[in-house]
Short mmCIF file of all heavy atoms in Angstrom, two decimals:
data_model
loop_
_atom_site.label_atom_id
_atom_site.label_comp_id
_atom_site.label_asym_id
_atom_site.label_seq_id
_atom_site.Cartn_x
_atom_site.Cartn_y
_atom_site.Cartn_z
N ALA A 180 117.64 168.59 -16.24
CA ALA A 180 117.21 167.34 -15.59
C ALA A 180 115.69 167.41 -15.19
O ALA A 180 115.04 166.36 -15.13
CB ALA A 180 118.01 167.10 -14.36
N ASP A 181 115.16 168.62 -14.98
CA ASP A 181 113.75 168.76 -14.67
C ASP A 181 112.90 168.81 -15.94
O ASP A 181 111.66 168.79 -15.83
CB ASP A 181 113.49 170.07 -13.90
CG ASP A 181 114.25 170.09 -12.59
OD1 ASP A 181 114.72 169.02 -12.18
OD2 ASP A 181 114.32 171.16 -11.99
N ASN A 182 113.52 169.00 -17.09
CA ASN A 182 112.81 169.23 -18.28
C ASN A 182 112.77 167.93 -19.17
O ASN A 182 113.15 166.90 -18.70
CB ASN A 182 113.42 170.36 -19.09
CG ASN A 182 113.15 171.73 -18.41
OD1 ASN A 182 112.23 171.88 -17.64
ND2 ASN A 182 114.01 172.72 -18.70
N ARG A 183 112.32 168.10 -20.36
CA ARG A 183 112.44 167.06 -21.39
C ARG A 183 111.77 165.74 -21.13
O ARG A 183 112.31 164.68 -21.29
CB ARG A 183 113.95 166.78 -21.60
CG ARG A 183 114.65 168.06 -21.90
CD ARG A 183 116.07 167.88 -22.22
NE ARG A 183 116.54 169.09 -22.85
CZ ARG A 183 117.71 169.23 -23.43
NH1 ARG A 183 118.54 168.23 -23.47
NH2 ARG A 183 118.06 170.36 -24.01
N GLU A 184 110.50 165.84 -20.73
CA GLU A 184 109.70 164.61 -20.59
C GLU A 184 108.98 164.29 -21.89
O GLU A 184 108.75 165.20 -22.71
CB GLU A 184 108.65 164.82 -19.49
CG GLU A 184 109.17 164.88 -18.10
CD GLU A 184 108.05 165.21 -17.10
OE1 GLU A 184 106.89 164.76 -17.32
OE2 GLU A 184 108.36 165.92 -16.11
N ALA A 185 108.53 163.05 -22.00
CA ALA A 185 107.62 162.73 -23.12
C ALA A 185 106.22 162.87 -22.61
O ALA A 185 105.97 163.00 -21.36
CB ALA A 185 107.90 161.30 -23.59
N PHE A 186 105.20 162.79 -23.51
CA PHE A 186 103.85 162.94 -23.01
C PHE A 186 103.29 161.72 -22.34
O PHE A 186 102.31 161.74 -21.61
CB PHE A 186 102.91 163.36 -24.20
CG PHE A 186 103.10 164.78 -24.63
CD1 PHE A 186 103.62 165.08 -25.85
CD2 PHE A 186 102.81 165.83 -23.77
CE1 PHE A 186 103.82 166.40 -26.26
CE2 PHE A 186 103.01 167.17 -24.12
CZ PHE A 186 103.50 167.42 -25.40
N GLY A 187 103.91 160.57 -22.65
CA GLY A 187 103.46 159.32 -22.02
C GLY A 187 102.17 158.82 -22.68
O GLY A 187 101.64 159.43 -23.58
N SER A 188 101.67 157.69 -22.16
CA SER A 188 100.62 157.00 -22.87
C SER A 188 99.31 157.84 -22.79
O SER A 188 98.42 157.67 -23.62
CB SER A 188 100.38 155.59 -22.30
OG SER A 188 100.24 155.71 -20.90
N ALA A 189 99.15 158.68 -21.82
CA ALA A 189 97.91 159.49 -21.71
C ALA A 189 97.86 160.54 -22.81
O ALA A 189 96.80 161.12 -23.05
CB ALA A 189 97.82 160.16 -20.32
N GLY A 190 99.01 160.81 -23.44
CA GLY A 190 98.99 161.84 -24.50
C GLY A 190 99.09 163.25 -23.93
O GLY A 190 99.03 163.45 -22.73
N PRO A 191 99.10 164.25 -24.77
CA PRO A 191 99.31 165.60 -24.32
C PRO A 191 98.05 166.25 -23.78
O PRO A 191 98.09 167.34 -23.22
CB PRO A 191 99.77 166.34 -25.59
CG PRO A 191 99.24 165.55 -26.74
CD PRO A 191 99.10 164.11 -26.25
N GLY A 192 96.89 165.58 -23.92
CA GLY A 192 95.62 166.24 -23.48
C GLY A 192 95.29 167.41 -24.35
O GLY A 192 95.73 167.51 -25.52
N LEU A 193 94.55 168.35 -23.81
CA LEU A 193 94.12 169.52 -24.58
C LEU A 193 95.30 170.49 -24.75
O LEU A 193 95.76 171.02 -23.72
CB LEU A 193 92.96 170.18 -23.87
CG LEU A 193 92.12 171.08 -24.73
CD1 LEU A 193 91.45 170.29 -25.92
CD2 LEU A 193 91.02 171.78 -23.88
N LEU A 194 95.75 170.66 -25.96
CA LEU A 194 96.87 171.55 -26.17
C LEU A 194 96.36 172.97 -26.45
O LEU A 194 95.34 173.16 -27.08
CB LEU A 194 97.70 171.08 -27.39
CG LEU A 194 98.51 169.84 -27.11
CD1 LEU A 194 98.92 169.20 -28.46
CD2 LEU A 194 99.75 170.11 -26.29
N PRO A 195 97.13 173.99 -26.00
CA PRO A 195 96.70 175.35 -26.35
C PRO A 195 96.75 175.57 -27.82
O PRO A 195 97.68 175.09 -28.45
CB PRO A 195 97.72 176.24 -25.61
CG PRO A 195 98.86 175.36 -25.34
CD PRO A 195 98.37 173.96 -25.23
N PRO A 196 95.76 176.24 -28.44
CA PRO A 196 95.84 176.42 -29.86
C PRO A 196 96.98 177.34 -30.24
O PRO A 196 97.41 178.19 -29.47
CB PRO A 196 94.49 177.10 -30.20
CG PRO A 196 94.06 177.71 -28.92
CD PRO A 196 94.62 176.90 -27.81
N ARG A 197 97.47 177.13 -31.46
CA ARG A 197 98.53 177.96 -32.01
C ARG A 197 97.99 179.40 -32.15
O ARG A 197 96.85 179.58 -32.50
CB ARG A 197 98.83 177.39 -33.37
CG ARG A 197 99.72 178.24 -34.28
CD ARG A 197 99.66 177.67 -35.69
NE ARG A 197 100.60 178.38 -36.55
CZ ARG A 197 100.61 178.35 -37.89
NH1 ARG A 197 99.71 177.63 -38.51
NH2 ARG A 197 101.47 179.01 -38.56
N ALA A 198 98.82 180.39 -31.90
CA ALA A 198 98.42 181.78 -32.18
C ALA A 198 98.39 181.95 -33.69
O ALA A 198 99.40 181.93 -34.30
CB ALA A 198 99.42 182.75 -31.54
N SER A 199 97.22 182.10 -34.24
CA SER A 199 97.17 182.20 -35.76
C SER A 199 96.63 183.59 -36.18
O SER A 199 95.82 184.18 -35.48
CB SER A 199 96.26 181.15 -36.37
OG SER A 199 95.88 180.20 -35.48
N PHE A 200 97.07 183.96 -37.33
CA PHE A 200 96.67 185.27 -37.87
C PHE A 200 96.09 185.08 -39.25
O PHE A 200 96.80 184.65 -40.20
CB PHE A 200 97.89 186.23 -37.87
CG PHE A 200 98.47 186.32 -36.53
CD1 PHE A 200 99.46 185.50 -36.05
CD2 PHE A 200 97.95 187.30 -35.64
CE1 PHE A 200 99.95 185.63 -34.75
CE2 PHE A 200 98.45 187.44 -34.35
CZ PHE A 200 99.43 186.56 -33.91
N GLU A 201 94.86 185.36 -39.37
CA GLU A 201 94.13 185.32 -40.63
C GLU A 201 94.83 186.24 -41.63
O GLU A 201 95.02 187.42 -41.37
CB GLU A 201 92.68 185.83 -40.37
CG GLU A 201 91.75 185.76 -41.53
CD GLU A 201 91.28 184.34 -41.85
OE1 GLU A 201 91.33 183.49 -40.88
OE2 GLU A 201 90.89 184.11 -42.97
N PRO A 202 95.19 185.74 -42.84
CA PRO A 202 95.86 186.60 -43.81
C PRO A 202 94.92 187.80 -44.24
O PRO A 202 93.79 187.57 -44.49
CB PRO A 202 96.11 185.69 -45.00
CG PRO A 202 96.11 184.27 -44.44
CD PRO A 202 95.13 184.34 -43.30
N ASP A 203 95.52 188.98 -44.18
CA ASP A 203 94.75 190.14 -44.66
C ASP A 203 94.92 190.27 -46.15
O ASP A 203 95.53 189.38 -46.82
CB ASP A 203 95.19 191.43 -43.89
CG ASP A 203 96.66 191.77 -44.19
OD1 ASP A 203 97.29 191.07 -45.03
OD2 ASP A 203 97.19 192.76 -43.60
N ALA A 204 94.43 191.35 -46.77
CA ALA A 204 94.47 191.48 -48.22
C ALA A 204 95.92 191.47 -48.75
O ALA A 204 96.20 190.85 -49.79
CB ALA A 204 93.78 192.78 -48.62
N ILE A 205 96.81 192.10 -48.02
CA ILE A 205 98.22 192.17 -48.48
C ILE A 205 98.80 190.75 -48.50
O ILE A 205 99.44 190.27 -49.46
CB ILE A 205 99.05 193.03 -47.52
CG1 ILE A 205 98.56 194.48 -47.61
CG2 ILE A 205 100.53 192.91 -47.82
CD1 ILE A 205 99.22 195.44 -46.63
N THR A 206 98.57 190.02 -47.43
CA THR A 206 99.11 188.64 -47.32
C THR A 206 98.42 187.74 -48.34
O THR A 206 99.09 186.88 -48.95
CB THR A 206 98.95 188.09 -45.92
OG1 THR A 206 99.63 189.02 -45.01
CG2 THR A 206 99.55 186.72 -45.74
N ARG A 207 97.14 187.93 -48.57
CA ARG A 207 96.44 187.09 -49.59
C ARG A 207 97.02 187.32 -50.94
O ARG A 207 97.21 186.36 -51.73
CB ARG A 207 94.95 187.38 -49.55
CG ARG A 207 94.24 186.76 -48.30
CD ARG A 207 92.71 186.67 -48.51
NE ARG A 207 92.09 187.94 -48.85
CZ ARG A 207 91.65 188.85 -47.91
NH1 ARG A 207 91.81 188.56 -46.61
NH2 ARG A 207 91.12 189.94 -48.28
N ASP A 208 97.36 188.57 -51.25
CA ASP A 208 97.97 188.86 -52.55
C ASP A 208 99.32 188.14 -52.67
O ASP A 208 99.67 187.56 -53.71
CB ASP A 208 98.29 190.37 -52.67
CG ASP A 208 97.12 191.18 -53.18
OD1 ASP A 208 96.12 190.51 -53.53
OD2 ASP A 208 97.23 192.40 -53.26
N VAL A 209 100.08 188.18 -51.58
CA VAL A 209 101.37 187.51 -51.56
C VAL A 209 101.22 186.01 -51.80
O VAL A 209 101.92 185.37 -52.58
CB VAL A 209 102.14 187.80 -50.26
CG1 VAL A 209 103.28 186.81 -50.07
CG2 VAL A 209 102.66 189.24 -50.23
N ILE A 210 100.23 185.44 -51.08
CA ILE A 210 100.00 184.00 -51.22
C ILE A 210 99.69 183.62 -52.67
O ILE A 210 100.27 182.68 -53.25
CB ILE A 210 98.88 183.59 -50.26
CG1 ILE A 210 99.39 183.61 -48.81
CG2 ILE A 210 98.35 182.16 -50.58
CD1 ILE A 210 98.33 183.34 -47.73
N ALA A 211 98.83 184.41 -53.30
CA ALA A 211 98.43 184.16 -54.70
C ALA A 211 99.69 184.28 -55.57
O ALA A 211 99.94 183.49 -56.50
CB ALA A 211 97.34 185.12 -55.16
N LEU A 212 100.48 185.31 -55.31
CA LEU A 212 101.70 185.56 -56.11
C LEU A 212 102.67 184.40 -56.01
O LEU A 212 103.20 183.90 -56.99
CB LEU A 212 102.34 186.88 -55.63
CG LEU A 212 103.66 187.24 -56.22
CD1 LEU A 212 103.51 187.62 -57.71
CD2 LEU A 212 104.30 188.44 -55.49
#
Side-chain angles (χ1 to χ4, degrees):
D181 299 347
N182 288 337
R183 307 183 163 190
E184 289 175 34
F186 287 114
S188 52
L193 199 61
L194 288 162
R197 168 192 186 197
S199 350
F200 302 91
E201 183 75 23
D203 64 4
I205 296 175
T206 302
R207 287 198 303 272
D208 273 357
V209 163
I210 288 175
L212 176 67

